[in-house]
Amino acid sequence: MPPMPSSSPGGGRTQGRSTFDKWKMGAMLGGSVGLIMGFIFGTYPNNTIFQAVEQVLRQSKGGFNIMRYGAGPSGPIRTLGQYMLGSGVTFGYVGYGPCTSRGLANLSGSGLILIATLLDSFFMSIGSVIRTEGNSTWATEAFARARRQPMDEWLAIFNRAEHNLSSAQIEYKAPSVGTAAFVKTIDHTLLKLEATEKQVDTLCEEARRHNFKSVCVRLLWVDRAVHNLQGSSVVVACVVGFHEGTQSFKEKTTEAARAVDAGAKELDMVMNHVLLTHKHYSEVYTDIAAVRNVAPHSIILKVILETSQLSSREIIAGCKIAEAAGADYVKTSTGFNGQGATQENVRLMKSVVEENMKVKASGGVKTVNECVAMMEAGAERIGTSNGVWIMEEAKSLLEQMTHAAGSGEVKGQRPAASLTRMFSSS
């Protein structure tokens, strides 16, 4: 599940637990009880309840696959909770049949077991339906709505994040230009509407040749890109809600699901920045959480803020909402709406998310110098349609570096600092 936002001044939870927190803890506990009881009582394949559950699992696309549908980058505890949610209801239902058909409820203490299993079946079915893919948009939306926070709680989260911003300007270490690590920061991108099959094929050939991290395309081209990149380490990223981000809840979740079905390993989703600027924070959260919940756990989700349309305060809010919704990255821009990435905005985003998420800089990043500047500001991924040019420039600069070093030895001079900064591995 996406993490619940926290609004306590010290970074922990507020005093006292909310109704939803209590429900969630009870559900997780019920899941563990259902799991245990299922193993004890649910090993009789001839009972009708077992057969019914098996049929449901077979018919539902993906079934109760928590490893696939667990949302967001989660730690072991949250992963365990998700496992309990799915397996708890499964074994809870399975255990219910033998418990009644064999008359075990008449044994001492088994009445409590039956009650626990029934409660588990009720509560866990909610969590498990949300984690299934087949026709469950309504359930995902209901779940996301249940997680909405009051305005004062969101404001407390944003205020705390703003207060905790470091006044010191941190410069991050960029991978040395030309190294494998540097190349794997690049998402080779083709997002224009008039793109052709030949251009997509060329994009994929270039990405394969240079071994970029990904190619980023629209949904129309995902299947073709996946086919072209078979056998390589380059993955396919698909944009969702591109480029305005104002599409409906259903349109975004449908697009995301189709992209994943076609083989996309990453989703670059455009946040509804219009809702954000109007302070509809819970709606923005719902939008992102819905996409996160229809995408498998292994799929990387990047949320595009469109920073050119936001104030610094709104960028902070967008980052914290994306974090709460379970996204893996926050991304600066689409490249289609105003100014693209800036060092200032990348640095701000990195200061807000710290190590909880990563930052992708995109929009207007066209040279090696710009790539390095963005990475030194905190970006760990670069979105650009100029990947090939950047690699050619890197090769040229490396030759200049080699020549300058040789000249320096003769003349007693050092190469320019701008070159040594980019190519030094120390």
Side-chain angles (χ1 to χ4, degrees):
M1 289 184 180
M4 284 287 287
S6 169
S7 57
S8 61
R13 290 211 173 274
T14 52
Q15 291 186 347
R17 295 186 179 274
S18 67
T19 301
F20 184 81
D21 272 344
K22 293 176 182 178
W23 179 89
K24 183 177 68 174
M25 291 188 64
M28 290 176 63
L29 179 60
S32 61
V33 172
L35 180 61
I36 295 170
M37 293 304 101
F39 276 121
I40 295 175
F41 299 116
T43 56
Y44 307 97
N46 294 324
N47 73 78
T48 56
I49 300 297
F50 182 95
Q51 293 171 357
V53 172
E54 183 180 35
Q55 185 67 19
V56 170
L57 289 173
R58 288 183 184 277
Q59 290 180 352
S60 64
K61 187 177 181 182
F64 300 130
N65 192 334
I66 298 309
M67 289 305 292
R68 184 176 180 193
Y69 291 99
S74 60
I77 298 301
R78 181 145 42 99
T79 300
L80 178 61
Q82 292 169 351
Y83 177 73
M84 289 177 179
L85 284 173
S87 60
V89 65
T90 304
F91 289 110
Y93 275 124
V94 171
Y96 172 68
C99 194
T100 54
S101 63
R102 289 176 170 269
L104 295 179
N106 295 325
L107 299 178
S108 175
S110 293
L112 293 176
I113 294 175
L114 175 59
I115 294 173
T117 305
L118 287 171
L119 290 174
D120 170 64
S121 299
F122 173 73
F123 286 113
M124 292 306 94
S125 63
I126 299 175
S128 296
V129 167
I130 289 169
R131 294 294 171 189
T132 61
E133 183 178 8
N135 299 322
S136 62
T137 302
W138 65 269
T140 305
E141 184 173 12
F143 167 75
R145 284 176 176 172
R147 301 296 300 273
R148 290 178 177 177
Q149 299 298 296
M151 174 66 78
D152 59 341
E153 292 190 23
W154 282 121
L155 293 178
I157 294 169
F158 307 154
N159 289 338
R160 185 169 62 252
E162 190 170 22
H163 175 75
N164 291 338
L165 291 177
S166 174
S167 57
Q169 183 170 306
I170 301 174
E171 185 172 294
Y172 295 88
K173 178 65 177 177
S176 296
V177 173
T179 62
F182 179 86
V183 174
K184 281 299 185 183
T185 65
I186 295 179
D187 290 344
H188 198 34
T189 303
L190 177 62
L191 296 173
K192 59 183 181 180
L193 284 170
E194 62 272 20
T196 65
E197 290 183 355
K198 183 178 180 180
Q199 289 173 328
V200 172
D201 292 344
T202 300
L203 181 84
C204 294
E205 188 278 325
E206 292 169 344
R208 181 191 285 269
R209 173 158 42 93
H210 291 287
N211 201 26
F212 293 137
K213 177 62 180 180
S214 78
V215 296
C216 187
V217 295
R218 291 178 184 263
L219 177 60
L220 173 66
W221 302 115
V222 171
D223 186 70
R224 189 178 188 89
V226 170
H227 175 77
N228 286 341
L229 293 168
Q230 285 181 351
S232 76
S233 65
V234 183
V235 300
V236 176
C238 179
V239 290
V240 175
F242 202 84
H243 68 274
E244 291 294 340
T246 54
Q247 292 86 338
S248 70
F249 176 99
K250 184 176 181 180
E251 286 175 315
K252 285 186 177 179
T253 53
T254 299
E255 188 175 21
R258 287 177 177 173
V260 172
D261 286 343
K265 299 300 182 184
E266 301 187 352
L267 300 175
D268 287 37
M269 169 194 179
V270 185
M271 183 191 70
N272 193 325
H273 59 82
V274 176
L275 288 178
L276 183 70
T277 55
H278 285 82
K279 298 181 171 56
H280 298 312
Y281 304 128
S282 290
E283 284 78 4
V284 176
Y285 172 87
T286 298
D287 199 43
I288 301 171
V291 172
R292 176 71 275 178
N293 275 281
V294 300
H297 178 72
S298 59
I299 300 299
I300 298 296
L301 176 62
K302 312 185 198 92
V303 175
I304 306 172
L305 303 185
E306 203 67 281
T307 51
S308 66
Q309 307 301 306
L310 305 176
S311 66
S312 295
R313 171 73 174 186
E314 289 164 345
I315 291 174
I316 293 172
C319 287
K320 297 308 291 184
I321 293 173
E323 179 184 331
D328 302 290
Y329 280 77
V330 280
K331 176 177 169 180
T332 56
S333 320
T334 62
F336 286 73
N337 193 354
Q339 185 181 26
T342 67
Q343 285 181 269
E344 179 184 6
N345 286 336
V346 169
R347 188 172 290 111
L348 173 61
M349 292 160 67
K350 182 61 178 176
S351 296
V352 174
V353 302
E354 299 179 312
E355 300 306 315
N356 298 322
M357 301 174 70
K358 297 179 180 179
V359 177
K360 176 176 174 178
S362 61
V365 184
K366 300 178 180 179
T367 68
V368 169
N369 264 322
E370 289 168 346
C371 284
V372 172
M374 294 302 167
M375 287 187 274
E376 289 180 341
E380 296 184 50
R381 196 79 72 87
I382 303 295
T384 179
S385 57
N386 290 272
V388 173
W389 163 250
I390 289 171
M391 296 311 299
E392 291 176 352
E393 185 189 12
K395 181 180 178 181
S396 176
L397 288 172
L398 182 58
E399 292 173 351
Q400 291 180 40
M401 176 72 175
T402 303
H403 177 74
S407 300
E409 287 181 6
V410 175
K411 299 179 181 180
Q413 298 174 346
R414 293 180 61 83
S418 60
L419 289 177
T420 57
R421 175 176 62 85
M422 289 191 289
F423 289 94
S424 173
S425 59
S426 59

